[in-house]
């Protein structure tokens, strides 16, 4: 199966077999790196990395993946490119695709990365938008396979928290593509958009995935993995913080919630960064404003043996490398 020349914008653009192929390539490339047998397949390639939103894992993963495969990268951000200021996404894509072999975009609007893909003559990869985070979900699917050793159909996971945006939607569809048992546990007003749910259910009809959307915390019962993400982004008004915390305070991933799964070796996953203590400026601001030392996950869970968040973070590089190799080599 060849994915050469394909864009990587959202999970729904791929068939279940293509999604599995990317996961198999991730495993192959990770093993080769571990064993010192990695072969560079992207020697001479030039890749543009556009970061309108800040990034640690995505930026580092793209850089290391590209360099490991022999490619060169050029980084741009809102201050070092004309994108969105003096030049439209369409014009930017037409310029960059004459110079580069691939373009990564991380920013706010899915429409921006889709416009770039439409006008680009080279692959465009979505490093994150408000609506979708496909490089994260591919990594997370791989991490769950790796940590459980189970067949995809035997893996049960829950996403707990605000599921309306990129991570919740991507995990829902990513799990559906693999036929997993997917639980979205969130307040009703924070569930994924109806259109995304409909599309995930359509995929599930093909793959046999079981999809549950519920407000009840018992939705985590029987789960091998519990995922979450931050509740609020800094820069949103205080009224949003107050409303969101009131809505989600019962959905914090803590020891009691993990026990509720009834799975002795349940694992905790988070795309990071996480507000699990006061050791960041954001954490301190949250504590000062609301008196809460932790938000979406307790420090006890984050630092526990159940937490595989740093295995997950490492796997961003391996899965992104698979995306680059599959679409470029």
């Amino acid at each position: 199966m060849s994915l050469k020349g394909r864009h990587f914008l959202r999970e729904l653009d791929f068939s279940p077999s293509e999604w599995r192929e990317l996961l198999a390539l991730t495993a192959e490339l990770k093993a080769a790196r571990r064993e010192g047998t990695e072969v560079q397949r992207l020697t001479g390639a030039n890749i543009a990395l556009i970061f309108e939103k800040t990034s640690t894992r995505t930026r580092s993963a793209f850089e290391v993946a590209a360099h490991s495969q022999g490619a060169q990268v050029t980084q741009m951000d809102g201050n070092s490119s004309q994108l969105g200021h003096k030049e439209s996404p369409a014009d930017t894509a037409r310029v960059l695709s004459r110079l580069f072999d691939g373009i990564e975009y991380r920013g706010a609007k899915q429409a921006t990365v889709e416009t770039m893909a439409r006008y680009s003559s080279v692959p465009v990869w979505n490093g994150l938008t408000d609506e979708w985070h496909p490089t994260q979900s591919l990594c997370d699917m791989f991490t769950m396979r790796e940590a459980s050793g189970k067949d995809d159909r035997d893996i049960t996971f829950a996403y707990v928290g605000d599921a309306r945006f990129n991570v919740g939607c991507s995990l829902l569809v990513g799990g559906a593509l693999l036929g997993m048992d997917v639980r979205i546990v969130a307040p009703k007003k924070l569930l994924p958009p109806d259109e995304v749910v409909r599309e995930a259910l359509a995929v599930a009809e093909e793959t046999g995935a079981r999809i549950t959307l519920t407000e009840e915390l018992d939705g985590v019962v029987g789960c091998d993995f519990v995922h979450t993400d931050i509740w609020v982004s800094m820069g949103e008004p205080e009224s949003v913080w107050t409303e969101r915390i009131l809505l989600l305070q019962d959905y914090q991933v803590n020891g009691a919630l993990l026990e509720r799964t009834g799975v002795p070796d349940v694992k905790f996953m988070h795309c990071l960064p996480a507000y699990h203590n006061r050791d960041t400026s954001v954490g301190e601001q949250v504590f000062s404003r609301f008196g809460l030392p932790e938000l979406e996950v307790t420090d006890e869970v984050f630092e526990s043996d159940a937490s595989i968040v740093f295995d997950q973070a490492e796997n961003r590089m391996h899965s992104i490398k698979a995306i680059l190799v599959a679409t470029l080599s």
Side-chain angles (χ1 to χ4, degrees), residues 150 156 158 183 217-226 254-267:
K150 292 184 175 182
T156 302
R183 321 278 184 83
L217 293 178
D218 277 346
V220 304
V221 172
C223 285
D224 304 298
F225 301 90
V226 175
N254 50 38
L257 186 70
L258 291 189
E259 287 183 13
R260 192 185 286 250
T261 66
V263 177
D265 58 349
V266 61
K267 302 300 182 187

Side-chain angles (χ1 to χ4, degrees), residues 214-250:
T214 179
E215 296 182 82
E216 302 300 324
L217 293 178
D218 277 346
V220 304
V221 172
C223 285
D224 304 298
F225 301 90
V226 175
H227 295 249
T228 194
D229 192 8
I230 56 175
W231 291 348
V232 190
S233 298
M234 291 307 291
E236 292 191 86
E238 185 168 346
S239 59
V240 171
W241 280 80
T242 302
E243 177 190 24
R244 201 78 49 77
I245 288 171
L246 288 174
L247 274 171
L248 288 168
Q249 58 187 345
D250 293 336

Side-chain angles (χ1 to χ4, degrees), residues 103-114:
I103 304 167
E104 179 272 348
Y105 170 82
R106 178 186 178 95
K109 296 179 181 178
Q110 182 72 13
T112 299
V113 75
E114 291 183 354

Side-chain angles (χ1 to χ4, degrees), residues 36-109:
T37 59
E38 183 170 359
V39 175
Q40 291 188 333
R41 308 186 205 186
L42 302 180
T43 301
N46 288 287
I47 294 171
L49 304 178
I50 302 174
F51 288 92
E52 289 193 320
K53 285 192 173 186
T54 58
S55 173
T56 297
R57 278 149 297 281
T58 303
R59 183 190 302 264
S60 301
F62 265 100
E63 280 199 15
V64 175
H67 291 157
S68 296
Q69 281 292 305
Q72 303 297 315
V73 301
T74 298
Q75 286 197 28
M76 308 174 198
D77 57 31
N79 296 318
S80 61
S81 74
Q82 305 290 1
L83 176 62
H85 303 291
K86 297 181 180 179
E87 192 165 59
S88 69
D91 291 351
T92 298
R94 284 182 283 195
V95 170
L96 294 183
S97 62
R98 297 290 187 100
L99 306 175
F100 292 93
D101 300 293
I103 304 167
E104 179 272 348
Y105 170 82
R106 178 186 178 95
K109 296 179 181 178

Side-chain angles (χ1 to χ4, degrees), residues 29 33 38 65 68-69 317-325:
L29 292 169
R33 180 179 175 89
E38 183 170 359
S68 296
Q69 281 292 305
M317 187 269 291
H318 302 297
S319 55
I320 284 172
K321 188 185 296 184
I323 294 164
L324 298 181
V325 168

Side-chain angles (χ1 to χ4, degrees), residues 9-10 108-115 126 129-132:
L9 307 181
R10 59 178 192 156
K109 296 179 181 178
Q110 182 72 13
T112 299
V113 75
E114 291 183 354
T115 297
N126 178 3
T129 62
D130 291 344
E131 293 95 332
W132 298 99

